[in-house]
Amino acid sequence: ANMGGSSSKPAAPAEGGGCPVMKKKPEEQSDSLCPVKYKNPNVYNVYGQKLDPSNMMPAAAQQMPSPGQKEALPTNRVVSGIAKGGTDSTWVYPSEQMFYNSLKRKGKGSDVKEEDVSMMVAIHNNMNERTWRDLLEWEKLHCATCGDPRLLRFVGMPDDLSPKARLRMLTGQAAPFDRHDWVVDRCGTEVRYIIDYYHDTSMPAGTEAPRQHDLAAKTQIWVDVRPALDSPQALMDRVRMTFMGMVGQQPQAPPDWPTQMPEARGELGPAGGGKAKEWTKAQKAFVDKLSRLDTECSKPMEALAKCNGEEECAKAAMARDLCVAQVHCPKVATAFIAALSSGKGMEGAYEKLLKCGADLAEESNKLFPGQK
């Protein structure tokens, strides 16, 4: 699952007839005389981008076109029906552009065409909504003590098979194509769920993009959701759910639990992002320049990401800045190399080199406003 941000829709409080909500207790003040070690609330990746600590993705939505991209993609985002931990709102899905960028960043987008992304995003969003509904079936076992379970954070683990998936494979069944671990805030208690996603060609296949909240969508995807065996309570829940399935029962909860979901209000629109406006000539030229930077500056970029120590990283940063200048402002790059050779005017030449990079960022902001 690839979600980020949150919507501004407040969650409806439970009515008197619903399950009571276990209120979180205020943190007690420590009597220790030792000062608390400061921890900066901001987290950054190797490119200096602030990360959202709930999923370790850049906090600023990455909406710029990817190097090598041929067509514009929609940048609008869709509100999910998944309650977001730590807020009174829901998670927001990535736009088609963000989804495409994520595939490229993970090295999975080489064979993906821009016209395919709309269907991929629709399936992705629908799959996550179904996952959340299946997860809530387990949470119903605790509706008497928590009326508002929320997804706190998540992580994709496609290369880490779960024990259950390994066992299925030993019996000759197919491996899952993806795995997620979701951590749910059960009114103050963090509970980890394991989700395996399987292709099932025996299921009917649809020809149109699934609607976001259509739980019966024909996507040929089977979702296996269960609590991780991290506690005795999780084991008890698995035993209870297995027994209830054997006798034909399902967990029960009041109709207003946990909160009214979007499909109950008739919000069943498509999950895609519509049609994007075509690029201007200047925008197309800039994307082509990004492609050159991606190709010609890949080695210094990689060296900067892997450097160790102040001196090594300073050299790597200078090599990166020089490469960017050779593509974006070659005269400045030539002047810097000359200053480097002669040993004269180095400081001024490097300042111009840095300004070249700043000018590139400024041009990006002008051509693609609001798409950082």
Side-chain angles (χ1 to χ4, degrees), residues 86 115 186 188 240 248 317 356:
E115 58 264 29
R186 185 184 290 162
R240 287 177 63 190
C356 175

PDB file of all heavy atoms in Angstrom, residues 86 115 186 188 240 248 317 356:
ATOM      1  N   GLY A  86      -3.612   8.901  14.817  1.00  0.00           N
ATOM      2  CA  GLY A  86      -3.063  10.174  15.230  1.00  0.00           C
ATOM      3  C   GLY A  86      -3.796  11.376  14.688  1.00  0.00           C
ATOM      4  O   GLY A  86      -3.394  12.518  14.914  1.00  0.00           O
ATOM      5  N   GLU A 115      -0.242   5.233 -19.998  1.00  0.00           N
ATOM      6  CA  GLU A 115      -1.673   4.952 -20.148  1.00  0.00           C
ATOM      7  C   GLU A 115      -2.141   3.791 -19.262  1.00  0.00           C
ATOM      8  O   GLU A 115      -3.346   3.582 -19.080  1.00  0.00           O
ATOM      9  CB  GLU A 115      -2.018   4.643 -21.603  1.00  0.00           C
ATOM     10  CG  GLU A 115      -1.263   3.485 -22.215  1.00  0.00           C
ATOM     11  CD  GLU A 115      -0.034   3.925 -22.996  1.00  0.00           C
ATOM     12  OE1 GLU A 115       0.547   4.974 -22.633  1.00  0.00           O
ATOM     13  OE2 GLU A 115       0.329   3.241 -23.963  1.00  0.00           O
ATOM     14  N   ARG A 186      -5.316   0.482  18.190  1.00  0.00           N
ATOM     15  CA  ARG A 186      -6.567   0.002  18.804  1.00  0.00           C
ATOM     16  C   ARG A 186      -6.791   0.786  20.100  1.00  0.00           C
ATOM     17  O   ARG A 186      -6.633   0.287  21.200  1.00  0.00           O
ATOM     18  CB  ARG A 186      -6.497  -1.503  19.056  1.00  0.00           C
ATOM     19  CG  ARG A 186      -7.792  -2.127  19.571  1.00  0.00           C
ATOM     20  CD  ARG A 186      -7.589  -3.600  19.878  1.00  0.00           C
ATOM     21  NE  ARG A 186      -7.413  -4.380  18.671  1.00  0.00           N
ATOM     22  CZ  ARG A 186      -6.887  -5.619  18.654  1.00  0.00           C
ATOM     23  NH1 ARG A 186      -6.472  -6.181  19.774  1.00  0.00           N
ATOM     24  NH2 ARG A 186      -6.769  -6.261  17.502  1.00  0.00           N
ATOM     25  N   GLY A 188      -5.039   3.069  21.601  1.00  0.00           N
ATOM     26  CA  GLY A 188      -3.893   3.132  22.475  1.00  0.00           C
ATOM     27  C   GLY A 188      -3.000   1.915  22.438  1.00  0.00           C
ATOM     28  O   GLY A 188      -1.866   1.968  22.911  1.00  0.00           O
ATOM     29  N   ARG A 240     -10.298 -17.812  17.942  1.00  0.00           N
ATOM     30  CA  ARG A 240     -11.719 -17.443  17.967  1.00  0.00           C
ATOM     31  C   ARG A 240     -12.273 -17.336  16.547  1.00  0.00           C
ATOM     32  O   ARG A 240     -13.361 -17.847  16.260  1.00  0.00           O
ATOM     33  CB  ARG A 240     -11.906 -16.118  18.695  1.00  0.00           C
ATOM     34  CG  ARG A 240     -11.736 -16.175  20.200  1.00  0.00           C
ATOM     35  CD  ARG A 240     -11.871 -14.791  20.806  1.00  0.00           C
ATOM     36  NE  ARG A 240     -13.202 -14.225  20.607  1.00  0.00           N
ATOM     37  CZ  ARG A 240     -13.526 -12.969  20.875  1.00  0.00           C
ATOM     38  NH1 ARG A 240     -12.593 -12.130  21.330  1.00  0.00           N
ATOM     39  NH2 ARG A 240     -14.754 -12.540  20.684  1.00  0.00           N
ATOM     40  N   GLY A 248     -19.926 -21.291  11.179  1.00  0.00           N
ATOM     41  CA  GLY A 248     -20.703 -20.395  10.327  1.00  0.00           C
ATOM     42  C   GLY A 248     -21.063 -19.067  10.946  1.00  0.00           C
ATOM     43  O   GLY A 248     -22.084 -18.474  10.585  1.00  0.00           O
ATOM     44  N   ALA A 317      29.310  15.744  -3.193  1.00  0.00           N
ATOM     45  CA  ALA A 317      28.355  16.821  -3.458  1.00  0.00           C
ATOM     46  C   ALA A 317      28.871  17.741  -4.560  1.00  0.00           C
ATOM     47  O   ALA A 317      28.107  18.174  -5.436  1.00  0.00           O
ATOM     48  CB  ALA A 317      28.084  17.610  -2.185  1.00  0.00           C
ATOM     49  N   CYS A 356      23.519  27.610 -10.116  1.00  0.00           N
ATOM     50  CA  CYS A 356      22.988  26.871 -11.262  1.00  0.00           C
ATOM     51  C   CYS A 356      21.973  25.827 -10.806  1.00  0.00           C
ATOM     52  O   CYS A 356      20.905  25.682 -11.388  1.00  0.00           O
ATOM     53  CB  CYS A 356      24.135  26.203 -12.021  1.00  0.00           C
ATOM     54  SG  CYS A 356      23.616  25.138 -13.380  1.00  0.00           S
TER      55      CYS A 356
END
